[in-house]
Amino acid sequence: MRLGEGVEWALHCTTVLAFLPADGALPAARLAEYHAVPAAYLAKHLQALSRAGIVESARGPKGGYRLSRPPAEITLLEVVEAVEGPESSFRCTEIRQQGPTKCAPRSYSPVCAIAGVMREADMAWRDRLAQTSVGDIAAGVASDVSAEVAAKAAAWFEEVLT
Amino acid sequence: MRLGEGVEWALHCTTVLAFLPADGALPAARLAEYHAVPAAYLAKHLQALSRAGIVESARGPKGGYRLSRPPAEITLLEVVEAVEGPESSFRCTEIRQQGPTKCAPRSYSPVCAIAGVMREADMAWRDRLAQTSVGDIAAGVASDVSAEVAAKAAAWFEEVLT
DNA sequence: GTCCCTATACTCGGATAGCAAGTGTCCGAGTATAGGCGG
DNA sequence: CCGCCTATACTCGGACACTTGCTATCCGAGTATAGGGAC
């Protein structure tokens, strides 16, 4: 099981966007520069966030991306699912109903015992992600960040938003 | 995030092996036949289970695979990790320490807030899988299975183990 | 009749191709801005 | 001097190559068994 790195990028980007003033916007190229990742590829994932209604985009000069809702109302689960897809990690292909012991479908319990546990594990994972919002993350980094990093970040914002 | 189908196969195979008598053994080809999956590819995953110490193998005639421990002492987490690998689903590449705001490593909190939550979600997933054993699964299917399927399975075991 | 030896057949194990999905990149569509022109 | 128009430059959005890892397969290494021969 492996998550694409786009998930990490999307989470960090939404966190950065949470610090934007309400009328501001950051282009994909700036977000990529901030995290030192390929701009063209990051754009692909930002489009996914846009389609999911997590961020909204504005074209033209002074355009870019901004959060479409208050950070506290965006859960990490939404961001992850927007990039990675909403389907469960485990896919049950019902192999218990195959082979030499095959019977009519009504002879089997409605859900495979294995698939049931795997699904519960998946729910536990999603529940944890749904309990934390982008606002929580932003508050956490705001309180933990060193003065040096905070100053650099503030200067960068100042320069980019002009 | 997507798990390989080898995980499903491995879980079902260990469940079937849980019903074997202590001195019995099932070859990979029989396990593949039982689930109607490609034998050569299933063998690859059974090798992973063998390397992880979950099953033990015997070569030659009357050989095959058997569980190396009582089913109740094998958790689903062990089986999943044996096939899929033990590494976490989320990989933090510390992009927060990159780009124009880069500072010395000591300026950052030891763990990224995002990586922390992702890790906790991963732990929740693993915890759920660790709470259920192969024995639990076997007991569940034994009580839920229909008489028709049970009879077919018993007949198949009888024929194969002779 | 019993024991031993050998040939056999069956098993696992790792090394080898094929393919799909994630990764990375590019160019076209659309729009707010800035400058120039006319009134 | 003010308002409008146009050209520009900057943005997003989807369509196009490349690489990694999962999927699938094969053949060689190893061993318990079964049969035959010698004592």
Side-chain angles (χ1 to χ4, degrees), chain A residues 1-8 10 44-45 47-49 51-52 54 76-91 122 125-126 129, chain B residues 1-3 118:
Chain A
M1 184 171 65
R2 243 189 53 157
L3 269 67
E5 57 186 347
V7 172
E8 181 184 13
K44 197 180 188 67
H45 296 302
Q47 287 171 28
L49 293 179
R51 275 192 295 270
I54 295 171
L76 297 197
L77 178 61
E78 288 180 86
V79 177
V80 171
E81 286 191 335
V83 175
E84 200 71 13
E87 62 275 0
S88 172
S89 61
F90 182 78
R91 292 164 296 166
D122 209 79
W125 183 74
R126 289 184 149 77
L129 292 184
Chain B
M1 183 171 65
R2 244 188 55 155
L3 269 67
M118 295 303 290

Side-chain angles (χ1 to χ4, degrees), chain A residues 1 3 84 102 152, chain B residues 1 84 91 102 128 152:
Chain A
M1 184 171 65
L3 269 67
E84 200 71 13
K102 185 171 187 172
K152 279 198 179 183
Chain B
M1 183 171 65
E84 200 71 12
R91 293 164 294 165
K102 185 171 187 172
R128 179 63 191 87
K152 279 199 180 181

Side-chain angles (χ1 to χ4, degrees), chain A residues 17-160:
Chain A
L17 290 177
F19 287 101
L20 268 189
D23 59 343
L26 277 183
R30 292 289 158 272
L31 284 167
E33 171 194 342
Y34 188 91
H35 298 107
V37 297
Y41 189 29
L42 175 63
K44 197 180 188 67
H45 296 302
L46 291 173
Q47 287 171 28
L49 293 179
S50 178
R51 275 192 295 270
I54 295 171
V55 303
E56 56 189 19
S57 61
R59 285 185 164 176
K62 293 287 177 182
Y65 291 98
R66 86 193 76 213
L67 296 182
S68 58
R69 277 173 282 161
E73 296 176 11
I74 301 173
T75 67
L76 297 197
L77 178 61
E78 288 180 86
V79 177
V80 171
E81 286 191 335
V83 175
E84 200 71 13
E87 62 275 0
S88 172
S89 61
F90 182 78
R91 292 164 296 166
C92 178
T93 58
E94 289 292 339
I95 60 175
R96 63 175 178 156
Q97 297 188 23
Q98 300 298 326
T101 66
K102 185 171 187 172
C103 291
R106 58 182 171 74
S107 296
Y108 297 90
S109 56
V111 295
C112 171
I114 290 172
V117 175
M118 294 304 288
R119 179 180 176 78
E120 285 185 25
D122 209 79
M123 300 271 282
W125 183 74
R126 289 184 149 77
D127 280 349
R128 179 63 192 89
L129 292 184
Q131 285 169 14
T132 301
S133 71
V134 173
D136 296 331
I137 296 292
V141 302
S143 68
D144 283 353
V145 73
S146 71
E148 185 184 7
V149 176
K152 279 198 179 183
W156 183 84
F157 266 75
E158 189 69 21
E159 175 190 352
V160 167

Side-chain angles (χ1 to χ4, degrees), chain B residues 82-99:
Chain B
V83 175
E84 200 71 12
E87 62 275 1
S88 173
S89 60
F90 182 78
R91 293 164 294 165
C92 180
T93 58
E94 290 291 341
I95 59 175
R96 64 175 177 157
Q97 297 189 24
Q98 299 298 325

Side-chain angles (χ1 to χ4, degrees), chain B residues 38-138:
Chain B
Y41 187 31
L42 176 62
K44 197 180 186 65
H45 295 301
L46 290 173
Q47 286 171 29
L49 293 179
S50 178
R51 276 192 294 269
I54 295 171
V55 303
E56 57 188 19
S57 62
R59 285 184 164 176
K62 294 285 179 182
Y65 291 99
R66 86 194 76 214
L67 296 181
S68 58
R69 278 173 282 161
E73 296 177 11
I74 302 174
T75 67
L76 298 197
L77 179 61
E78 287 180 88
V79 177
V80 171
E81 286 191 335
V83 175
E84 200 71 12
E87 62 275 1
S88 173
S89 60
F90 182 78
R91 293 164 294 165
C92 180
T93 58
E94 290 291 341
I95 59 175
R96 64 175 177 157
Q97 297 189 24
Q98 299 298 325
T101 66
K102 185 171 187 172
C103 291
R106 58 181 170 74
S107 296
Y108 296 90
S109 56
V111 295
C112 171
I114 291 173
V117 174
M118 295 303 290
R119 179 180 176 79
E120 284 186 28
D122 210 80
M123 300 272 282
W125 184 74
R126 290 185 148 76
D127 280 349
R128 179 63 191 87
L129 292 183
Q131 284 169 14
T132 301
S133 71
V134 173
D136 297 330
I137 297 291

